[in-house]
Amino acid sequence: MTSQLVESNRTILDSSPLLISVLIKTYNEERHIAGAIESALAGIAPYAGEVVVADSGSTDATVAIAQRYPIRVVQLAEAQDRSCGASAQLAFQHSVGRFVYLMDGDMVLNAEFVHQAITYLGSHPDVAGVGGSIREMCIVNHEFRRRSSRR
């Protein structure tokens, strides 16, 4: 899998390790990406952190919108490399945080979840990860109705 680093407005990271990396995987998410990025930036604001957007070759304005933010934007160089996990792997390869949170480009991150997760993981070094719940906001068909009814 090859990738290219898309220039963004982010500041150069210093050599110290960051506490958290929020990884956002995208493909044609121009309608949602700003909200996803803004929620991720709000979630990491109290911490040393970064946001990495990994795009799977969007043909819309996803990358251009993402580049407006002080984040790292990377993109698959070859469309044939696109797969279910390719952008997640790409984001991970370009992240440096001690903790990693992965989300889709149409999701909004709850800042309180970030705080609770970091607090828990920081005080339980024997735990590898924590999970939250996803609340569907756009119920457009039977599958999404079923998902939203499960807790």
Side-chain angles (χ1 to χ4, degrees), residues 33-50:
I33 191 60
I37 292 169
E38 289 168 12
S39 71
L41 289 170
I44 66 168
Y47 309 99
E50 68 175 343

Side-chain angles (χ1 to χ4, degrees), residues 22 24 31-43 101-114 133-137:
V22 175
I24 304 174
R31 290 181 44 215
H32 306 285
I33 191 60
I37 292 169
E38 289 168 12
S39 71
L41 289 170
Y101 179 79
L102 176 65
M103 61 187 273
D104 291 343
D106 63 350
M107 296 173 81
V108 175
L109 179 59
N110 182 323
E112 182 57 28
F113 172 78
V114 175
S133 61
I134 296 174
R135 186 169 43 129
E136 292 290 346
M137 302 301 288

Side-chain angles (χ1 to χ4, degrees), residues 22-116:
V22 175
L23 314 179
I24 304 174
K25 54 189 187 117
T26 64
Y27 178 69
N28 289 341
E29 292 292 351
E30 70 182 359
R31 290 181 44 215
H32 306 285
I33 191 60
I37 292 169
E38 289 168 12
S39 71
L41 289 170
I44 66 168
Y47 309 99
E50 68 175 343
V51 174
V52 179
V53 167
D55 185 73
S56 292
S58 291
T59 57
D60 64 3
T62 300
V63 172
I65 294 167
Q67 288 177 305
R68 298 176 190 158
Y69 294 89
I71 64 172
R72 182 174 300 139
V73 178
V74 292
Q75 189 174 38
L76 291 174
E78 304 294 334
Q80 71 263 17
D81 291 336
R82 189 181 307 135
S83 69
C84 183
S87 56
Q89 177 65 29
L90 179 62
F92 181 74
Q93 288 175 304
H94 288 274
S95 68
V96 296
R98 176 176 171 208
F99 299 120
V100 173
Y101 179 79
L102 176 65
M103 61 187 273
D104 291 343
D106 63 350
M107 296 173 81
V108 175
L109 179 59
N110 182 323
E112 182 57 28
F113 172 78
V114 175
H115 173 72
Q116 289 179 7

